[in-house]
Structures are given as structure tokens and as C-alpha cells.
Amino acid sequence: MSERPVLYLIIPCFNEEEVLPLTAPAFSRELIRLAGEGKISGESRVFFVDDGSEDGTWDIICSLSKELANIRGIRESRNMGHQNALLAGLMEAKGLCDITITTDCDGQNELGAIERMVDAYSEGNEIVYGVRKDRKSDGFFKRHTAQIFYKLTILMGIDMIYNHADYRLVSSRVLDEFEDFREVNVFLRGMFPLVGFRSTTVEYEMGERAAGRTHYSPQKMLHFAIDGVTSFSIKPVRAFTITGFIVSLGSFIGIICTIIDYFTGGTVSGYASLMCIICFAAGIQLIGTGVIGEYIGKIYMEVKRRPRYIISDRTDNFSDRGRSLENRSGKKT
């Protein structure tokens, strides 16, 4: 591709007042460097999305947008969650750029991978997935639970890239098609592979946070994993259907044995074994009901069609975004 692409670096933030002053200038310098080397356009921007922060994050973004010419920002009306914040940034940037790269604001994702993703796009790839080389920087719990999660999603038949989080390049062409995905339960790691188009992967190193601490608690990770599985696979429901059939078959065999014992004068074994069977069957039923409830809850949320994000504020320089890509090509916006 001969023409230098306009890149928007989409970065969601939630209560990141400690880390932003450290990482934002680094993101800005990286885009300036790539533009200087002719790999991206000088109109490329660092695009922060404040996910309803309760600290001084938004004030810092506004201040940075005045100090650094290539920084822009929007603010959601309330905390909508990480995935919806990413979605808001992607949809807001879609008409203003050729490519987007989503990353975290904590500085852990290797900056050098941005250049490799842009190079992969120049080779004709519409989606470039950032894949971690290893998980040495993770603690014991996070490392093993993450591996279980990725293996579980593959077992469930979900088309997802192993060890890929949300560090990815996506072209505006892909985003035009992605806009038709209207589900409220957003799980971007599983959604983008469904869009198709030519794609590849780029490996990157994971470092330490520049400052502060993560806001992703084990409880949030568990909810995220459940959302990921139940949004893209019905295998959990099928598994309990099969389990129910097996338990029913075992119960039927048990009934026949009981009838035979009755007519042959045999004695029925005691209370403990009977209670074990009852508790096991009841437990299976409750878990199965809970799984079905997860899917019904998702249907409930989808049917209501509530907004996935609401933008309440934009930085003062947001209107100074230049002409959109359609304007640059002479088309009416």
C-alpha cells in the first residue's frame, strides 16, 4: 500500500490518573516516530476513551490533548465496561482513519508491536492479532486461569486466537462490516474472527505496569470468561442435556434393580447411598438451570436493545480532526 495509512490508537481508561502522565507521551512519541519514518500518516492520533472514571483521568486526558497535538479523547456518561469502551472508541474513529490499534493504557503491551502490526497491514492483512510470547510476567493464579480459559473456549468451539487479548489492528474496511454486529453482550476477542478478511498474528512481550494497579479483579475475570463462553457457544447447554440423559439412564437402571429386589425379597441398602443419589441429581439440575439462566439473561439483555455506550464529553480539540477519509476522497459524508 503506497499511501500512508491514518492510524488511530484506541486506548480505554478507567481510574488511570497515576499511569496516564507516564504512558500517554510514550504513545504520542511512537506515532510521531512512525509518521517520521513514513509508515503512517501525520494525521494519526492517540485516542483515549474514559470509561466513566471516578478520579482525575478525564482532566488529565483534556490536559494532555492541549499539550500534545496528536492526542484526542472522549468520555462515556458512566462506566460501561472495558469491551464497550473499546467499541465506543472503534466506532467513533471508524470514519476518521484507515486503521485502528486497540491497546491498554498501563504500558504493559510492547510498543514495538505497533510498528510490526502496521507492517503486517501493509502486506495486505486487514486484521492483525497481537499474541503474547509467554506469560512469565503473570502471577501463578492469573497465568493458569488464563490458560484454562483459552483452552476452554477452544474446547467449546469458539473461534478465538490463543493468547490474544485486545491488542489488535483492525482496518476501517473491517469496521464497516463489524458495525452490523449489534449484540449488546460485547466480546470483541470472539467477534472479530467472525468478520473474516485476511488476518495474521504478531507476537509481543508483556511488561510491568508503568504505575498504579490493575482494576481487573478475579471476579471481573470470571464474569468476562463466562460472557465469552455463553456469547459464542451453546455447548454448555448441550453438555447438561447429555449429562441429564446419562443420569436419567442411571436412574432408570436403579429403578429396575429396586423392582427386582422387591419381588425377590432383597433388602434396599441404606439411607446414605439414597441421599447421595438424590443430592447428586439435585445438584446437576441446579447447575443446569443456572447455565440455562445465563443464556436466558443474555436474551433478556439483547431484546431490550439498550445503548452499548453513551458519549458525554469530548476533548476541546476533538472537532479539529481534519477532514474525514470520505471527505479526503471527495465523497459526501
Side-chain angles (χ1 to χ4, degrees), residues 10 19 60 89 98 123 134 141 160 201 221 243 266 277:
I10 312 296
V19 76
I60 293 173
D98 298 296
E123 295 168 0
D134 54 57
F141 176 78
M160 208 171 79
T201 60
M221 287 191 287
T243 303
I277 294 172

Side-chain angles (χ1 to χ4, degrees), residues 76-142:
E76 293 186 288
S77 61
R78 57 178 290 272
N79 180 244
M80 299 284 191
H82 178 262
Q83 295 294 287
N84 285 322
L86 283 175
L87 179 66
L90 290 169
M91 292 298 102
E92 286 284 308
K94 181 173 68 70
L96 307 171
C97 61
D98 298 296
I99 52 177
T100 62
I101 293 179
T102 53
T103 188
D104 296 327
C105 70
D106 55 19
Q108 287 188 277
N109 293 338
E110 180 191 349
L111 270 181
I114 294 175
E115 182 175 0
R116 297 196 294 273
M117 288 182 182
V118 172
D119 290 341
Y121 169 75
S122 300
E123 295 168 0
N125 295 288
E126 301 283 351
I127 305 177
V128 184
Y129 300 100
V131 176
R132 291 182 59 172
K133 286 184 178 180
D134 54 57
R135 290 190 168 271
K136 294 178 182 178
S137 60
D138 289 344
F140 178 85
F141 176 78
K142 186 176 181 180

Side-chain angles (χ1 to χ4, degrees), residues 171-230:
S171 72
S172 58
R173 183 185 177 195
V174 172
L175 289 178
D176 285 337
E177 302 301 329
F178 183 76
E179 193 173 17
D180 292 333
F181 286 65
R182 305 302 302 171
E183 55 254 55
V184 174
N185 299 285
V186 179
F187 185 71
L188 297 176
R189 301 179 196 184
M191 292 170 71
F192 276 111
L194 296 178
V195 183
F197 292 99
R198 181 177 170 181
S199 65
T200 188
T201 60
V202 163
E203 287 190 339
Y204 69 94
E205 298 281 358
M206 192 78 166
E208 299 294 329
R209 281 182 64 92
R213 59 184 181 82
T214 181
H215 301 287
Y216 229 65
S217 65
Q219 183 180 4
K220 286 185 178 180
M221 287 191 287
L222 178 61
H223 284 302
F224 184 70
I226 292 173
D227 283 342
V229 172
T230 55

Side-chain angles (χ1 to χ4, degrees), residues 53-332:
S53 297
E54 299 169 348
D55 60 2
T57 296
W58 178 243
D59 293 333
I60 293 173
I61 292 173
C62 291
S63 177
L64 288 167
S65 69
K66 295 175 182 177
E67 296 173 10
L68 302 171
N70 63 352
I71 286 184
R72 302 288 185 271
I74 58 175
R75 186 184 194 186
E76 293 186 288
S77 61
R78 57 178 290 272
N79 180 244
M80 299 284 191
H82 178 262
Q83 295 294 287
N84 285 322
L86 283 175
L87 179 66
L90 290 169
M91 292 298 102
E92 286 284 308
K94 181 173 68 70
L96 307 171
C97 61
D98 298 296
I99 52 177
T100 62
I101 293 179
T102 53
T103 188
D104 296 327
C105 70
D106 55 19
Q108 287 188 277
N109 293 338
E110 180 191 349
L111 270 181
I114 294 175
E115 182 175 0
R116 297 196 294 273
M117 288 182 182
V118 172
D119 290 341
Y121 169 75
S122 300
E123 295 168 0
N125 295 288
E126 301 283 351
I127 305 177
V128 184
Y129 300 100
V131 176
R132 291 182 59 172
K133 286 184 178 180
D134 54 57
R135 290 190 168 271
K136 294 178 182 178
S137 60
D138 289 344
F140 178 85
F141 176 78
K142 186 176 181 180
R143 179 167 61 251
H144 287 85
T145 52
Q147 290 174 346
I148 291 172
F149 167 68
Y150 283 109
K151 290 176 181 178
L152 179 63
T153 55
I154 293 172
L155 181 65
M156 292 293 171
I158 302 172
D159 186 12
M160 208 171 79
I161 308 300
Y162 188 78
N163 266 345
H164 164 67
D166 286 301
Y167 196 12
R168 76 177 71 83
L169 178 148
V170 180
S171 72
S172 58
R173 183 185 177 195
V174 172
L175 289 178
D176 285 337
E177 302 301 329
F178 183 76
E179 193 173 17
D180 292 333
F181 286 65
R182 305 302 302 171
E183 55 254 55
V184 174
N185 299 285
V186 179
F187 185 71
L188 297 176
R189 301 179 196 184
M191 292 170 71
F192 276 111
L194 296 178
V195 183
F197 292 99
R198 181 177 170 181
S199 65
T200 188
T201 60
V202 163
E203 287 190 339
Y204 69 94
E205 298 281 358
M206 192 78 166
E208 299 294 329
R209 281 182 64 92
R213 59 184 181 82
T214 181
H215 301 287
Y216 229 65
S217 65
Q219 183 180 4
K220 286 185 178 180
M221 287 191 287
L222 178 61
H223 284 302
F224 184 70
I226 292 173
D227 283 342
V229 172
T230 55
S231 293
F232 289 89
S233 176
I234 62 169
K235 284 192 176 182
V237 176
R238 288 180 177 170
F240 277 102
T241 300
I242 295 171
T243 303
F245 176 78
I246 294 172
V247 171
S248 297
L249 180 61
S251 300
F252 180 72
I253 294 172
I255 290 171
I256 293 177
C257 292
T258 302
I259 293 173
I260 294 173
D261 282 342
Y262 176 79
F263 284 107
T264 57
T267 58
V268 178
S269 304
Y271 178 79
S273 59
L274 180 63
M275 289 303 297
C276 287
I277 294 172
I278 292 174
C279 290
F280 174 74
I284 291 293
Q285 289 175 343
L286 288 173
I287 295 173
T289 302
V291 171
I292 294 171
E294 283 287 331
Y295 285 92
I296 293 175
K298 278 186 163 45
I299 295 170
Y300 173 67
M301 296 301 295
E302 294 290 342
V303 169
K304 288 193 291 187
R305 307 301 297 169
R306 288 177 177 171
R308 295 175 290 183
Y309 62 87
I310 299 172
I311 307 300
S312 62
D313 297 289
R314 291 176 169 82
T315 51
D316 292 339
N317 64 351
F318 192 84
S319 59
D320 181 26
R321 6 179 218 194
R323 295 168 295 170
S324 71
L325 294 179
E326 291 180 330
N327 278 337
R328 288 204 301 271
S329 62
K331 297 180 181 178
K332 186 177 179 181

